[in-house]
Amino acid sequence: MGETISTFSPETAAAASIDARERTLALVADLRDELLDVPLLQTINPILWEIGHVASFTEFWMLRHLHGFAPIIENADALYDSAKVAHDTRWTLALPSRVQTIDFMHRQLERTLAHWTDDERHQYFTALSIFHEDMHGEALLYTRQTLRYPYPRLETLALPDTVQRVEGDAYVPGGRYWIGARAGDGFVFDNEKWAHEVELGAFSIARRPVTTTEFAAFVEDGGYRRDELWSRAGLAWRRSAGAQHPTYWRRTASGWERRRFDRYVALREREPVVHVNAYEAEAYCVWAQRRLPTEAEWEAAAAGPARRRYPWGDTAWAPDLANLDGRYGDVCDVDAFADVASPFGCTQMLGNVWEWTASAFEPYPGFAPDPYREYSQPWFSTHRALRGGAWSTRARMISNRWRNFYLPHRVDIFTGFRTCAIE
Ligand SMILES: [Fe+2]
């Protein structure tokens, strides 16, 4: 099939599958039944649909596709196949109850592990299924943010201390840089294939993401009233949304606050701006006489000429390296992890906030869809590429190569940005 294998043993495959499932269940466990009933919005899914879909997706690839088993729930595809069940239809289905859905999830997981075999195909679809579940877990956090639900009952660490301020730009010399995944990189998504060289001019990129203080200065300077700062599409969004500041901000007598799940918290001076869309990021850039990095620039700045898997090298993530995995439960200040830099000196390239890029999400040269055909291809050109992962992103999934993609008007995702100097 041309996929690259990952390296699960039966034990690590089971541990990762169970961990992904426990996280999914923990993200909904505290919700009273009436909170499972969510309004029809384009950016979220019904919660019971979403968790049933996760199990059904894994069942499809790991049990039906690999073993030819019949589905556990007879009409599974008519309920849960995201390519077949249109978004709005998901609100009209006769879905299994919460108890039935969780029972299905348990049965699927048990069966998947019972039939796990250490061959290339099981390796590939295990990674695909776990990452798919991880992505839906992050979506459940967006959903809870959108709906003003409380933060789920997940253990969190205290936000990391900061000892020095991170300021200024990192200089990246011009030249040819490799972008994308190579054979031997382990599991890769189709949109990362394959590595290819791009020619980049020299550029200077901010060492850290834009802070709330910087973004508030743009707001206070009439940023949301000055049409000349906005692109045509950005202006259309701003007018239709009636936006006068970031969607989740409010102004109080003591200063700006942002809504974090079900409560407002004061903006910290050194936290990154989050929940801004690509239009807001671009208008800020025009105001600040800066620009967004392209996707290739971002990857070159993060990975360097040696093509590191992570900004800090090739060793696996730990909580003292980046704000990932939901471990801290929120954004941390931009000065955290100051000693963990990319080869060119950029910090926080992975974790904390997703970062908008200037690039449309496009296929790499020679693109061909992998077995999960609807993963990337339907979204090319219309969606914008984002990089780096947020505090809410599972660490096992993210790397310097990893490409995310969303429509540019989305504000619900945990997204900020960093800027480049205009030469
Ligand atoms: Fe999905």
Side-chain angles (χ1 to χ4, degrees):
M1 291 186 299
E3 296 106 7
T4 313
I5 60 159
S6 297
T7 46
F8 289 111
S9 67
E11 292 74 29
T12 59
S17 302
I18 292 167
D19 172 74
R21 185 54 47 84
E22 284 177 347
R23 177 69 66 102
T24 303
L25 293 172
L27 287 165
V28 301
D30 62 311
L31 297 175
R32 302 186 311 275
D33 283 349
E34 60 268 31
L35 296 183
L36 297 176
D37 225 348
V38 305
L40 199 167
L41 298 174
Q42 291 313 302
T43 51
I44 66 174
N45 281 302
I47 289 171
L48 286 183
W49 183 88
E50 185 142 24
I51 63 174
H53 159 78
V54 160
S56 187
F57 180 95
T58 302
E59 182 198 25
F60 179 83
W61 292 110
M62 297 297 295
L63 294 167
R64 297 169 59 189
H65 178 70
L66 290 182
H67 293 277
F69 293 162
I72 296 169
I73 296 178
E74 207 177 315
N75 60 339
D77 296 338
L79 292 176
Y80 293 128
D81 185 335
S82 55
K84 293 194 183 115
V85 185
H87 181 264
D88 293 6
T89 307
R90 298 169 194 174
W91 274 259
T92 66
L93 301 166
L95 289 171
S97 67
R98 181 203 294 243
V99 169
Q100 289 168 332
T101 306
I102 292 174
D103 177 62
F104 163 58
M105 295 169 78
H106 287 321
R107 289 171 66 194
Q108 169 271 312
L109 179 60
E110 242 169 61
R111 245 195 201 197
T112 300
L113 298 180
H115 293 278
W116 201 83
T117 309
D118 182 11
D119 63 21
E120 190 174 339
R121 299 174 83 217
H122 277 78
Q123 294 284 359
Y124 177 82
F125 288 109
T126 299
L128 178 69
S129 300
I130 289 171
F131 293 158
H132 175 260
E133 186 148 359
D134 289 346
M135 286 183 248
H136 277 284
E138 195 166 350
L140 285 166
L141 282 170
Y142 309 157
T143 302
R144 295 183 69 124
Q145 168 71 26
T146 300
L147 299 176
R148 298 178 182 242
Y149 288 2
Y151 188 68
R153 291 195 199 115
L154 294 175
E155 240 177 88
T156 51
L157 301 171
L159 289 176
D161 289 332
T162 60
V163 290
Q164 53 180 300
R165 289 200 165 207
V166 177
E167 299 293 359
D169 285 346
Y171 176 77
V172 180
R176 296 182 75 77
Y177 289 88
W178 284 92
I179 301 301
R182 289 171 294 189
D185 275 343
F187 174 90
V188 296
F189 280 102
D190 52 10
N191 64 45
E192 302 170 84
K193 297 195 278 192
W194 283 111
H196 56 285
E197 262 188 313
V198 295
E199 179 83 37
L200 297 178
F203 62 99
S204 294
I205 183 168
R207 293 186 60 221
R208 51 131 178 106
V210 170
T211 63
T212 52
T213 306
E214 291 164 333
F215 203 87
F218 161 69
V219 176
E220 309 283 359
D221 195 36
Y224 283 70
R225 292 192 302 273
R226 290 164 55 181
D227 293 354
E228 72 275 16
L229 301 176
W230 294 74
S231 65
R232 185 183 295 223
L235 201 52
W237 169 79
R238 199 196 77 207
R239 286 182 175 149
S240 74
Q244 298 177 8
H245 49 72
T247 305
Y248 296 140
W249 285 20
R250 73 175 182 191
R251 198 197 295 266
T252 71
S254 52
W256 289 104
E257 296 180 339
R258 71 173 156 105
R259 182 166 66 74
R260 175 182 177 271
F261 296 94
D262 61 339
R263 58 196 61 186
Y264 279 90
V265 294
L267 291 183
R268 298 191 310 271
E269 187 194 341
R270 298 293 290 179
E271 71 182 19
V273 66
V274 62
H275 297 302
V276 285
N277 67 26
Y279 303 132
E280 293 170 294
E282 285 167 340
Y284 171 91
C285 284
V286 173
W287 173 81
Q289 298 179 16
R290 303 277 290 181
R291 65 176 177 85
L292 291 178
T294 66
E295 227 192 324
E297 287 173 334
W298 192 100
E299 187 168 329
R307 305 174 67 193
R308 289 180 181 177
R309 183 178 180 87
Y310 310 108
W312 55 84
D314 294 314
T315 56
W317 172 83
D320 60 345
L321 290 170
N323 183 6
L324 283 167
D325 228 43
R327 215 59 79 82
Y328 294 99
D330 196 3
V331 290
C332 65
D333 286 355
V334 297
D335 307 308
F337 311 107
D339 51 348
V340 185
S342 81
F344 294 115
C346 292
T347 65
Q348 297 192 2
M349 294 298 275
L350 296 191
N352 217 14
V353 288
W354 285 104
E355 297 182 18
W356 289 110
T357 73
S359 304
F361 177 56
E362 297 286 0
Y364 285 165
F367 172 85
D370 276 342
Y372 174 23
R373 299 184 65 83
E374 300 84 11
Y375 179 63
S376 305
Q377 197 162 37
W379 322 112
F380 287 137
S381 303
T382 53
H383 284 48
R384 185 75 71 98
L386 302 91
R387 290 301 194 105
W391 62 266
S392 47
T393 307
R394 295 307 304 262
R396 60 180 158 225
M397 188 176 78
I398 199 71
S399 75
N400 288 334
R401 300 187 311 261
W402 210 85
R403 310 176 74 198
N404 203 349
F405 44 93
Y406 278 104
L407 288 170
H409 69 265
R410 291 283 294 261
V411 298
D412 54 321
I413 42 182
F414 302 102
T415 304
F417 60 103
R418 78 179 66 213
T419 63
C420 287
I422 295 172
E423 303 307 327

